[in-house]
Structures are given as C-alpha cells and as structure tokens.
Amino acid sequence: MAPETKNFKEDILFHEFNTTETDYNQRGYHLEVALEVNQVRKFAQKAYDEGFYLVFVTGFHVLSEETAEGTTSGLNGVYQFARYDRLYRIKGQVSVPEDMSLPSICDIYQGASWHERETRDLYGINFEGHPNLKPLLLSDEDRDFHPLLKEEKKLKSLEAVSWTPEALESVDADAKAPSSDSIDS
Amino acid sequence: MLESDFQKQNRFFLNMGPQHPSTHGVLLIVLEMSGEYVLDPQPVLGFVHRMHEKMAESRPCGGFMPNTARMDYVCALPYNHGYVSLIERKTGIEVPKRAEYIRVITSELNRVASHLLWLGAYLLDLGAFTPILYGFDDREHILDILEDITGSRLTYCYYRFGGVYQDIDDKFVDATRAFIQRLRKRFVIYEKLVTKNIIFIKRTENIGIVSPDMALRYGMTGPNLRGSGIAYDVRKNEPYSVYPEFDFEVPVGAQGDCLDRYMVRIREMEQSLRIIEQALDRLPEGPVRAKVPKNIKLSPGDCNFAVEAARGELSYYLVGDGTSTPYRLKVRVPSYSNLSCLPELGRGILLPDLVSILGSFDLVIPEMDR
C-alpha cells in the first residue's frame, strides 16, 4: 500500500502560522513554518494535538541582522515533525533573539529534552523552562564552549543559505562556467 | 511501590556503566535506587562524542562518506545510503537502477547482520550464553559476503554519489542465495532454542511496556516503535530507493513489551531475506555508477532525507550555501530518541528488568553520541 501524499488537511491545520508549501521531491519535507519566538510552544502543542512525532530539534548559525525589532543573534532554532500514519513532514524555523533564549517544548514533547540539551551544548541556546539543562554530549568543563558556532569570516547571511527556486539553476550555470572560485576550506 | 521510612533513608546511587557489559558500549546510567528498585535512571551520554556534524562542515561533501559508517558501526550501509541519497536529492543526480538494487541488497544484508548481533547480545544480557555463538556464526557469513565486494568488514564506505563503488559478481549472488537458505534453517533452531524458552519469556513478557502515546512523545522509531503496534517503517511510509518495487510486510507487536520488540526483529529478518531474494531475482543489467561532476556544488537552501536504519528512522538534514561544503549537516539518529524515554520507562522497576529493557532497545552508543 503506497502512502498517499496529496489532499491532506495539514496545510490548513497550521493556517494560523506563516507557512509555505515546499516541493517534497527537492527538499524532503512538505511544509515550512516560519515562527516567531512566542509561537514556538503553540506550534509544538498544535503538532502534538494533531498526532505528529518529534523528529529533531537543532540550530544553525548565520550572520546576525538588524531588524525592526532589534538585532538578531544570528542563531536559528529548527524543529522537524513527521507522522506515523502517513507521509507528511513539517519544519519550523525560528530566529533566536539577542538574549539567546527560546521557550522549551519539553513538557509537550518529553523527547525534546535531550534535543534541547544537545542544542544548548552545540550552540549555547538557552531553553527557558527546561527542568534540567545540563550538558549532555559535552562535558561539564565545556559548559561555555559551543563547537558549532562558526567563525566570523565563515558566517553567511540567512538569505545566502535559504532556498529559492532559482538557486538550483544558478549553481548549474556556475558548474558549467570555467570555475574561478574554490571556496572550500 | 510504597516506600517504608527505612527504605526512604536508604536510597543510594548506583553507577551502571560506562563499562557495564549490558550497556553495549560506553554508556553510563546513574541510577537512584531503593533496595532493588530503580527510582530514577538518568543516562549520561558523550563518552564517544566525536562531533561528526562539525567535521561535515569542514570538508567537501564527498569527504564525509567514511564518517557515516562510523556512527552506527553495526549497521553502516543504511547510513551510507541515507547520505548519498541526500546529496543526490539535493543535486538532482539520477542513479542507475542496478545500483539502487545493489544498494537495497547490501543494506538489507547489513540489517540482518545487525539484528543477529543484537539477538546474541540481548540473550547474553539475560544470562543465556549459547545464542551469541550461533548469532556470530551466521553474522560471519554476511561479513564475508560483504567484505568481498565492499573491501571492509564493518565500517563500510561502499556507496558513491550516483551509484556504488563496484559491481557485484556471480560469486556474491551465489553466496547470498546460499546464505538465505542457511539462515531460514537456522530460524527454526532459534525458535526452539530461544523463543519458546520459559526463562526468556519470564524475563521479557510484560516488561518495559511502551505505549503508543509514549512512543510519540519521545519520537521513537524502528522495531522499538513497531513493538508497540504502530506499523511505521520509513521503507513503506516514505518510500525511497527501489523499496516500493518489493513485496514485504512490516511486522508489529501487540502491547510494546520486551518480548514484542524481540518478535518484531526476528520477523523483520525474515522480511529482509524476502526483499533480498526478490532483488536478486529481478536484478537489472546496466551501469552501477552515473556520471557525476567532480566538484559537487550544494545549492543554497535546506534538504532532508530519511531512511530506515536497523534501529529506526535516520534523517539527514542539510543546509547548503552554494559551495561543495555543507553549511550545516544535522544527523538525526534513531537510538538517541529511543533511549530518551528511559527516565520515564525505568521508574519504579527492578534492576534486572532495566537490563532487559536496555537490551531490547538495541542501542549503539557511538550512534547516539556522534
């Protein structure tokens, strides 16, 4: 029995959030949700109520930006959820504010506890409301060392690492042109 | 469990690991105990943490291939499979059909080898010494078969972007067919030796029951989830490679205890053999490697790819920035989410039952620590 991929109501379920449908064949998930910090818990609760399971929580590091609300920290929190009963993956992404903290979702999804502790280890994001935010993968002495934070010169802006429909073609064109860029370190 | 005043005063901490044999690697579990009862088990991870995700950010994407096999060393080929498929999805590389068939055959052989190792090790945890000798005997045949074509016995690096490293030969096909016949006869022995053994049943039945809601809250996947009666298998639910072309079932358990998880893995081995048999029968002719550019560029934006590893759902999440080096690579490993339910599951149980639960989870520590 091949799972169906069309005619789900999930895209309506998350209508209160800023959602974009994505092409599964190119990106491996169906719905992208751009979150505000105060929406994270609401989003997780909605996902839990609708029967999604937590795939992972992680982060990634880009250049900090000046926005109308203030300066961002450059860190992003990434949440992925999927379903046991049919094929549907969603990704939530939130920009971490300058105080480096996000609300914890580990009372909704207890499995998020370890993922949040890992993200604190690797990026230094502080998850408010987590009952036990001790180092998990790193040792206690390395509390203030966050290995996945990038050096200043390697940081790129959020736009430079965001998906655009033209991105794929532009890389193809680059590959054909005589290459003068060896950016690999 | 009601505690008397005497017991309350006599709570103590017990370190299980990092060299305890039943943790199957360097895992430490700090147990708060009252007599023989476990009050609060807290796993401590990170003893074999190598920061694979950082390594992925510091080299062109092809250079990360050997790392994939060093996370789950017991079942490395599905890890290869997930990573090459991720890059192929990201860059739009088409894979020849024969190569996908070879990938499925070798991945399934590796899955059977992993389950055989688990079978022996689990029963060793429960005090039965003989099955591990039988299990290793059978697993040795698979390692020999895979060594011939991949060149290594454990940490395989056999798949390539756009195909596999080299084609399989008649010797491989004959040896695999002979092994399938052999293992089917051995299943009969295992059933007589283990499955109907009264001591084994007493140690596993109604122990460590994982409810479907609990599985969902912790994001459990793989045989541990299917033991609880949820038929979720990435090979069926999110078909990748050529899995949709094969006829196989997803075995599920009834109530989610250790015995169910055991039965699911045993029946899964039979299904893997069925897949391998069908793939060998229908193996198409043709090339095993597509032409791919030497310098693979990863376009800006993210991409996800999930596969079914021996322990559950393995997800690679990649963010590209237009160069050949990943800007960010997140590896979601199954054992990590599976074990995270232990503090809840292990509350108020007997210490020997905790050993039984840990064994039934089929943990691979380097995979969790990455």
Side-chain angles (χ1 to χ4, degrees), chain A residues 24 27-29 48 53 55 58-59 61 80 84 89 91 110-111 114 118 123 136 147 150 156 184, chain B residues 45 54 89 213 217 220 232 237-238 297 301-302 304 306 313 317 321 324 327-328 332 336 370:
Chain A
Y24 175 79
R27 300 175 68 187
Y29 61 93
Y48 177 70
Y53 73 92
V55 181
T58 189
H61 192 195
Q80 196 185 105
Y84 288 140
R89 267 176 205 279
K91 186 201 82 170
Q110 280 75 11
W114 281 16
E118 181 193 320
Y123 287 100
L136 182 67
K150 285 177 184 281
K156 303 210 168 167
D184 312 331
Chain B
L45 309 184
K54 184 74 180 177
R89 175 177 279 171
D213 175 61
R217 282 185 287 114
M220 291 174 78
Y232 175 74
N237 290 48
E238 191 170 346
K297 290 264 172 75
D302 55 1
N304 193 75
E313 180 195 321
Y317 176 75
D321 61 353
S324 62
Y327 190 74
R328 169 79 175 109
R332 187 266 191 207
Y336 190 78
R370 282 161 289 148

Side-chain angles (χ1 to χ4, degrees), chain B residues 37 183 279:
Chain B
Y37 287 92
L183 195 60

Side-chain angles (χ1 to χ4, degrees), chain B residues 20 45 67 79-80 99 160 181 184 203 213 250 265 269-270 295 301 322-323 352:
Chain B
H20 192 281
L45 309 184
N67 289 57
Y79 273 67
N80 275 200
R160 296 288 184 274
Q181 296 309 320
R184 289 215 166 111
R203 288 294 305 275
D213 175 61
V250 179
R265 287 201 183 87
M269 282 197 270
E270 290 164 20
N295 188 13
T323 68

Side-chain angles (χ1 to χ4, degrees), chain A residues 48-60:
Chain A
Y48 177 70
D49 292 343
E50 301 299 339
F52 284 80
Y53 73 92
L54 178 73
V55 181
F56 62 74
V57 178
T58 189
F60 73 97

Side-chain angles (χ1 to χ4, degrees), chain A residues 1-3 24-29 32 48 51-63 78 80 82-87 89 91 93 108-112 114-118 122-123 132 136-138 147-151 154-157 159-164 167-168 170-172 174-175 179 181 183-185, chain B residues 42-47 49 51 53-54 57-60 89-92 212-213 215-221 225 230-234 236-239 293 295 297-306 313 315-317 319-332 335-337 339-341 343-344 368-370:
Chain A
M1 180 191 72
Y24 175 79
N25 291 325
Q26 281 183 23
R27 300 175 68 187
Y29 61 93
E32 188 174 21
Y48 177 70
F52 284 80
Y53 73 92
L54 178 73
V55 181
F56 62 74
V57 178
T58 189
F60 73 97
H61 192 195
V62 292
L63 270 177
V78 181
Q80 196 185 105
R83 296 189 71 97
Y84 288 140
D85 51 356
R86 53 181 179 246
L87 173 55
R89 267 176 205 279
K91 186 201 82 170
Q93 190 166 323
I108 303 165
Y109 283 96
Q110 280 75 11
W114 281 16
H115 290 286
E116 288 179 352
R117 282 170 71 184
E118 181 193 320
L122 305 181
Y123 287 100
N132 181 27
L136 182 67
L137 291 182
L138 302 184
L148 281 187
L149 293 181
K150 285 177 184 281
E151 295 163 36
K154 286 191 180 167
L155 277 176
K156 303 210 168 167
S157 69
E159 285 94 83
V161 296
S162 294
W163 192 85
T164 50
L168 204 60
S170 70
V171 168
D172 284 350
D174 282 355
S179 64
D181 52 338
I183 313 168
D184 312 331
S185 51
Chain B
Q42 288 293 344
V44 178
L45 309 184
F47 287 91
H49 177 57
M51 201 67 255
E53 290 169 16
K54 184 74 180 177
E57 289 177 13
S58 60
R59 62 195 66 182
R89 175 177 279 171
K90 183 77 185 155
T91 52
D213 175 61
L216 185 136
R217 282 185 287 114
Y218 285 96
M220 291 174 78
T221 46
L225 170 73
I230 302 173
Y232 175 74
D233 187 318
V234 182
K236 278 272 191 211
N237 290 48
E238 191 170 346
N295 188 13
K297 290 264 172 75
L298 305 169
S299 58
D302 55 1
C303 180
N304 193 75
F305 201 97
E313 180 195 321
S315 258
Y316 286 100
Y317 176 75
V319 180
D321 61 353
T323 68
S324 62
T325 308
Y327 190 74
R328 169 79 175 109
L329 181 76
K330 160 77 185 168
V331 192
R332 187 266 191 207
S335 287
Y336 190 78
S337 298
L339 181 68
S340 66
C341 74
E344 184 176 331
M368 295 194 300
D369 287 353
R370 282 161 289 148

Side-chain angles (χ1 to χ4, degrees), chain B residues 128-242:
Chain B
F129 186 74
T130 317
I132 196 166
L133 302 176
Y134 284 77
F136 264 70
D137 187 7
D138 287 337
R139 179 171 170 264
E140 200 65 20
H141 283 77
I142 302 182
L143 296 191
D144 287 343
I145 292 170
L146 289 178
E147 186 184 7
D148 271 350
I149 53 157
T150 65
S152 40
R153 288 174 71 79
L154 204 63
T155 48
Y156 309 110
C157 182
Y158 175 52
Y159 302 165
R160 296 288 184 274
F161 303 140
V164 294
Y165 168 62
Q166 63 175 1
D167 202 353
I168 55 175
D169 49 13
D170 289 344
K171 191 181 160 210
F172 173 87
V173 176
D174 294 343
T176 310
R177 283 191 193 280
F179 174 75
I180 293 172
Q181 296 309 320
R182 176 197 155 93
L183 195 60
R184 289 215 166 111
K185 287 187 192 127
R186 302 278 281 196
F187 282 148
V188 183
I189 299 176
Y190 289 139
E191 189 166 339
K192 282 185 188 156
L193 183 68
V194 183
T195 312
K196 291 177 180 168
N197 184 310
I198 185 71
I199 302 172
F200 169 71
I201 292 174
K202 293 258 182 204
R203 288 294 305 275
T204 53
E205 204 172 26
N206 295 324
I207 306 287
I209 296 176
V210 177
S211 68
D213 175 61
M214 185 172 167
L216 185 136
R217 282 185 287 114
Y218 285 96
M220 291 174 78
T221 46
N224 296 335
L225 170 73
R226 295 193 280 275
S228 304
I230 302 173
Y232 175 74
D233 187 318
V234 182
R235 291 173 294 173
K236 278 272 191 211
N237 290 48
E238 191 170 346
Y240 59 96
S241 189
V242 286

